[in-house]
Amino acid sequence: MRTLDEASWAGVVRATGLDGAGVPLRPLGHDHAGGGPAEPALVEAAALALGRADVGLTVMSGTGERGVLAQLGSDQHALGVAIRAVVAGDAGPVAVPGVRLGAHAPGQLTREVMRLVPPGGEERRLPRGPVTLDQEAALIAGRTAVSDPDVALAAVRHAGLEDVPPVLQALARGTSASVTMTVSTGGGPLHAVRQWLLTDRGWVSLTVRGRRVTHTASSRAELTAATTSMLAGAWDAALVARERAS
């Protein structure tokens, strides 16, 4: 991995020929006209990471006041990874100047993604089964299971459950880290969005379909397995799209 200052990163992005203004890791500011020619290996890695790939992945992860925003992209020959640090601000995450950029073998995609996941949650101390509720009931229960158990109980009973699920109780006690992954194929169509929150009982996956949200308790190994499965599905979709286009 190479650490590039903002001027060098802007030069690499320009050399890819991609629209740098439209990517999450777009160069900061406007005064980046200087710098020498970008190295071809860096340009290739950036082009993959920023969208010129069969499978693309944006990862936002953080613990406390600090985190990272990363873009990864892979074709059948190489994997590009670009990572920017972020810090908490009044209106949300604030980008830190400078980007780490590197290339890897395509088979390393899951490993590189998991390197971005904050430590913790090696064990799952919650029932594994998924809990699906409408968004309103899940939100109410997740916020009040500790502060106002009666309100939380009323919300889940209205949704058809007899008691507040342990996974929502864990979320109500607080979270210490988060990970959001957005996967796309062929630089375009959205394939999947997944979010995980780290509780005192392990990781909890949140998936949303329409107005229904599913909470699934996971260990770190189970989070890795879910990520691998999600990426495998994206690869299948990307290869089918390539075959249709050929």
Side-chain angles (χ1 to χ4, degrees):
M1 297 288 288
R2 288 273 298 276
T3 299
L4 306 179
D5 62 25
E6 209 59 37
S8 299
W9 171 240
V12 169
V13 173
R14 281 198 305 274
T16 66
L18 298 170
D19 179 12
V23 300
L25 285 182
R26 58 187 173 276
L28 303 177
H30 305 285
D31 187 19
H32 297 309
E39 297 178 23
L42 295 179
V43 174
E44 180 182 1
L48 286 169
L50 300 183
R52 195 175 294 161
D54 292 322
V55 173
L57 182 66
T58 300
V59 179
M60 181 72 184
S61 68
T63 302
E65 300 293 311
R66 302 190 64 83
V68 296
L69 174 60
Q71 286 187 254
L72 305 90
S74 182
D75 59 17
Q76 295 175 295
H77 306 289
L79 162 67
V81 181
I83 305 170
R84 185 190 293 282
V86 296
V87 295
D90 293 338
V94 177
V96 175
V99 169
R100 294 180 63 215
L101 178 64
H104 305 274
Q108 301 299 317
L109 181 54
T110 297
R111 187 193 72 172
E112 291 304 312
V113 170
M114 291 306 300
R115 286 164 62 92
L116 301 170
V117 175
E122 280 70 22
E123 295 184 10
R124 170 176 52 80
R125 294 181 286 168
L126 289 166
R128 179 72 174 91
V131 175
T132 301
L133 292 167
D134 64 76
Q135 289 182 339
E136 183 179 6
L139 184 61
I140 292 172
R143 287 182 173 177
T144 63
V146 172
S147 61
D148 197 335
D150 291 339
V151 170
L153 183 60
V156 299
R157 284 187 173 173
H158 182 72
L161 301 181
E162 294 186 359
D163 205 351
V164 180
V167 67
L168 294 183
Q169 295 175 3
L171 288 171
R173 287 193 295 271
T175 61
S176 57
S178 66
V179 181
T180 302
M181 301 181 190
T182 304
V183 182
S184 61
T185 57
L190 178 67
H191 183 74
V193 178
R194 294 290 297 273
Q195 181 180 26
W196 285 269
L197 300 173
L198 182 58
T199 73
D200 60 2
R201 298 290 176 177
W203 289 95
V204 175
S205 165
L206 278 67
T207 55
V208 179
R209 293 184 181 276
R211 295 195 58 79
R212 305 282 286 177
V213 57
T214 298
H215 300 79
T216 306
S218 305
S219 66
R220 190 177 186 87
E222 289 166 335
L223 191 160
T224 302
T227 300
T228 301
S229 177
M230 179 175 64
L231 292 174
W235 272 111
D236 287 344
L239 294 179
V240 167
R242 173 179 282 190
E243 290 177 359
R244 288 175 177 172
S246 63

